[in-house]
Amino acid sequence: MSEAQGLNIRFLCQGMMKLGPEQLPEGFFAWSREDQIGWAQEYWDSRTRKDILDAVAYLTVEEDSVPDCLEMDGEDYPVLAQTPAWKAFNAPDSQVLIPVEEED
């Protein structure tokens, strides 16, 4: 008889940190996209766990979260089902901010 397995229900959770104009460096929107990304990354890196949890709590679970992956609990975490968002989340370089050029 095989050993009992558990189930992990994973999800990608949206969050939002709203920064007002007074919280941004002067001229922020005139900076290059790379500089904006660099500043935002430094800001993100300086946040606490509570800051991140508050950003997640800002949005409603009913509207902004769905189960994204069902996997067996174990050494290799075999996936039973996944959303396209979860698949993209695990794709190479999927967690790298890429500048978007302004549209004319």
Side-chain angles (χ1 to χ4, degrees):
M1 187 168 252
S2 67
E3 187 176 321
Q5 295 285 323
L7 177 69
N8 299 330
I9 301 174
R10 293 184 178 250
F11 57 96
L12 299 171
C13 193
Q14 288 191 51
M16 186 180 335
M17 291 182 184
K18 291 182 79 89
L19 302 176
E22 70 282 355
Q23 294 172 280
L24 297 174
E26 191 170 328
F28 178 81
F29 292 106
W31 295 1
S32 71
R33 289 289 191 254
E34 289 79 9
D35 288 343
Q36 291 171 341
I37 290 169
W39 184 90
Q41 186 65 56
E42 286 180 25
Y43 181 84
W44 177 263
D45 291 342
S46 70
R47 299 303 89 193
T48 65
R49 180 176 176 83
K50 182 180 180 329
D51 293 334
I52 303 299
L53 292 174
D54 288 347
V56 169
Y58 178 79
L59 303 173
T60 62
V61 173
E62 296 81 10
E63 295 176 6
D64 297 307
S65 185
V66 298
D68 285 292
C69 178
L70 300 179
E71 68 183 16
M72 292 174 58
D73 192 24
E75 286 183 35
D76 296 331
Y77 300 103
V79 172
L80 305 175
Q82 66 184 349
T83 63
W86 187 262
K87 185 175 182 178
F89 175 74
N90 286 319
D93 297 325
S94 66
Q95 297 176 22
V96 175
L97 286 171
I98 300 169
V100 175
E101 297 301 321
E102 293 183 46
E103 294 182 21
D104 293 326

